[in-house]
Amino acid sequence: MARLVMKFGGTSVADIDRIRNVARHVKREVDAGHEVAVVVSAMSGTTNQLVAWCREASRLHDAREYDAVVATGEQVTAGLLAIVLQDMGVNARSWQGWQLPVLTSSAHGGARILDINGAELIKRFKERDREVAVIAGFQGVYKETNRLTTLGRGGSDTSAVAVAAAIGAQRCDIYTDVDGVYTTDPRVVPQARRLDKIAYEEMLELASLGAKVMQVRSVELGMVHNVRIFVRSSFEKPEDIDPHAEPSGTLICDEGEIVEQQVVTGIAFSKDEAQISIRRVSDKPGVAAAIFGPLADSNINVDMIVQNVSADGSTTDLTFTVPSADYERARITIEKAKASIGYERLDTATDVAKVSVIGIGMRSHAGVAAQAFGALAKNKINIRAITTSEIKFSVLIDAVQTDLAVRTLHSLYGLDKT
Ligand code: ASP
Ligand code: MG
């Protein structure tokens, strides 16, 4: 017997038929003798609709009321799944965030989970013959005010990992519309392979750098509490799964659990980048502060930063990137600060992409990035900026060359499926 958390995303619970399919997956685990807590998302499209209604009702709506509205999506699916499970003869009960309770911070719309009462769920597993707990994801309650909170978009992944930590689950299964985590997006590289295992740190980088499999915060939480997270498909027929065989999917786990560690694990890319180059900035102390201070004050996240000395030796060129969504604001901020920064002109580009290569093996292998620069040059891909960290490096290139760059690097590091 094991204790499991099963999380189902919006597309997996999109209608009653799919909820029935989910219930059969749950029944399969219950029949195998496991104690099961299920965490559900809202039916796909529901949260978007609820958010749109809040905006339509008032552009400046109260964040507490926003939470009261958007938390309902998950409450509906939790109740529906409990009904379907009971109908199949499975002992089940739904739980809304405040009932468990899932205690959170007060940051309405983006609250953090502080504590979950796992003991109550465990007690019910014991006393009520493994009663399945069906928990509404994405929500909690702020104790001081007793008001509902939500965890930010994609937050039911985080709910699931937090529940798994609270009840000491052996595994947190994330059932989704893909069957695992791939070396890169298979739509760009058909040779992309599903990974059997990936380390938390690598998954964090992948998720932060553009792969959309899981909410970044849920991976962080898994890493902190050492929750083994298993990404698998909800569209596999429950009847087709051999209860005694290893299920197919990707395990996100501690690096110590990965025996055959590759140097490079995956390649992520993002086209939502913009580049701003400030030409001929005077090269004196305090210039970086004059540039990045105002950007920080405007809440603009600066990513890559490259500085080079210009030809005359007394001024410097400074390049940085921001998310496309912040590009206009960033440009205006820098133009407004022209007098205090002191520069000649701005050059900008929005048709750029960031391609990132990720792998824990880079810690112990030299020259991994150098190989990439050679291969990209051979394919006439110009690199506009580079950043590196312990387990990844990123290059900024022209957006039109993204697919070529990703394919080149994917085969360079031996990730293509054979
Ligand atoms: N329903 C919420 C959203 O769409 C939370 C989730 O699905 O994870 O963002
Ligand atoms: Mg999701």
Side-chain angles (χ1 to χ4, degrees):
M1 187 212 67
R3 190 173 292 154
L4 296 176
V5 170
M6 307 174 74
K7 185 260 169 179
F8 294 90
T11 42
S12 310
V13 293
D15 54 40
I16 301 297
D17 260 351
R18 291 200 182 163
I19 292 178
R20 281 212 179 88
N21 186 59
V22 163
R24 292 207 300 273
H25 277 292
V26 174
K27 184 172 188 312
R28 171 174 59 75
E29 299 291 13
V30 172
D31 288 348
H34 304 313
E35 294 174 344
V36 179
V38 188
V39 175
V40 287
S41 289
M43 294 160 117
S44 68
T46 299
T47 310
N48 286 345
Q49 177 65 72
L50 296 169
V51 170
W53 279 337
C54 289
R55 291 211 180 111
E56 197 186 329
S58 162
R59 292 197 61 80
L60 290 173
H61 47 260
D62 184 324
R64 287 159 292 195
E65 302 310 339
Y66 166 94
D67 279 351
V69 174
V70 298
T72 58
E74 274 68 12
Q75 297 169 359
V76 170
T77 29
L80 288 173
L81 179 56
I83 290 174
V84 172
L85 282 167
Q86 290 170 0
D87 190 55
M88 286 181 182
V90 177
N91 189 12
R93 183 59 64 210
S94 72
W95 297 85
Q96 299 183 12
W98 61 270
Q99 288 176 305
L100 217 43
V102 177
L103 299 179
T104 74
S105 69
S106 62
H108 285 278
R112 281 182 177 272
I113 295 179
L114 303 175
D115 190 35
I116 294 181
N117 181 4
E120 176 63 22
L121 290 180
I122 295 171
K123 193 169 131 218
R124 293 174 79 109
F125 289 148
K126 305 288 177 227
E127 287 175 0
R128 304 203 180 182
D129 189 26
R130 289 178 296 129
E131 178 184 81
V132 174
V134 185
I135 299 162
F138 180 55
Q139 60 190 274
V141 59
Y142 176 51
K143 208 172 166 185
E144 307 293 294
T145 56
N146 207 24
R147 302 227 53 109
L148 278 180
T149 53
T150 62
L151 309 179
R153 298 305 305 268
S156 47
D157 290 337
T158 302
S159 305
V161 173
V163 168
I167 65 174
Q170 270 77 16
R171 222 174 52 214
C172 179
D173 283 353
I174 305 286
Y175 286 82
T176 178
D177 49 6
V178 291
D179 64 356
V181 180
Y182 280 71
T183 47
T184 194
D185 187 339
R187 283 168 301 187
V188 171
V189 184
Q191 293 88 352
R193 275 186 296 118
R194 188 180 65 212
L195 295 158
D196 289 332
K197 291 182 179 178
I198 183 170
Y200 294 118
E201 280 177 276
E202 294 172 323
M203 188 65 215
L204 259 185
E205 294 286 2
L206 269 184
S208 322
L209 293 167
K212 295 186 181 66
V213 191
M214 285 190 72
Q215 200 200 31
V216 175
R217 211 186 269 178
S218 69
V219 183
E220 270 168 11
L221 199 68
M223 182 158 94
V224 171
H225 295 283
N226 219 335
V227 174
R228 299 168 78 243
I229 302 169
F230 190 60
V231 180
R232 57 191 297 180
S233 168
S234 67
F235 296 124
E236 222 178 332
K237 285 220 191 74
E239 299 75 32
D240 292 349
I241 298 175
D242 174 356
H244 305 293
E246 280 285 309
S248 47
T250 302
L251 184 68
I252 307 169
C253 60
D254 189 84
E255 60 183 281
E257 226 186 293
I258 303 173
V259 187
E260 275 177 64
Q261 182 72 58
Q262 306 272 327
V263 177
V264 168
T265 304
I267 297 174
F269 57 90
S270 147
K271 294 182 182 168
D272 301 325
E273 309 284 325
Q275 173 188 344
I276 298 181
S277 295
I278 312 179
R279 302 297 181 197
R280 300 184 61 118
V281 188
S282 51
D283 197 2
K284 58 171 198 277
V287 172
I291 295 169
F292 296 114
L295 290 170
D297 293 342
S298 314
N299 250 322
I300 295 169
N301 240 330
V302 174
D303 181 19
M304 310 171 101
I305 302 176
V306 183
Q307 183 179 341
N308 27 33
V309 177
S310 69
D312 64 15
S314 66
T315 63
T316 171
D317 288 350
L318 204 141
T319 293
F320 61 88
T321 64
V322 295
S324 307
D326 292 336
Y327 163 70
E328 275 302 324
R329 282 198 307 131
R331 192 177 52 80
I332 292 166
T333 305
I334 297 297
E335 276 169 1
K336 273 201 193 135
K338 183 164 186 182
S340 61
I341 302 169
Y343 61 84
E344 192 184 282
R345 64 167 205 280
L346 289 186
D347 290 335
T348 61
T350 49
D351 48 357
V352 292
K354 182 173 67 176
V355 177
S356 306
V357 175
I358 296 141
I360 273 186
M362 279 187 220
R363 277 197 206 127
S364 47
H365 285 76
V368 179
Q371 273 179 287
F373 306 149
L376 293 174
K378 217 183 270 165
N379 283 282
K380 306 224 159 22
I381 298 169
N382 183 42
I383 302 174
R384 293 163 165 266
I386 303 169
T387 53
T388 64
S389 76
E390 214 188 6
I391 67 160
K392 70 137 205 276
F393 66 88
S394 303
V395 293
L396 191 72
I397 60 170
D398 290 345
V400 289
Q401 293 183 305
T402 312
D403 291 10
L404 176 61
V406 173
R407 263 186 260 128
T408 301
L409 297 175
H410 197 268
S411 59
L412 175 70
Y413 294 113
L415 297 174
D416 289 355
K417 93 180 136 201
T418 44

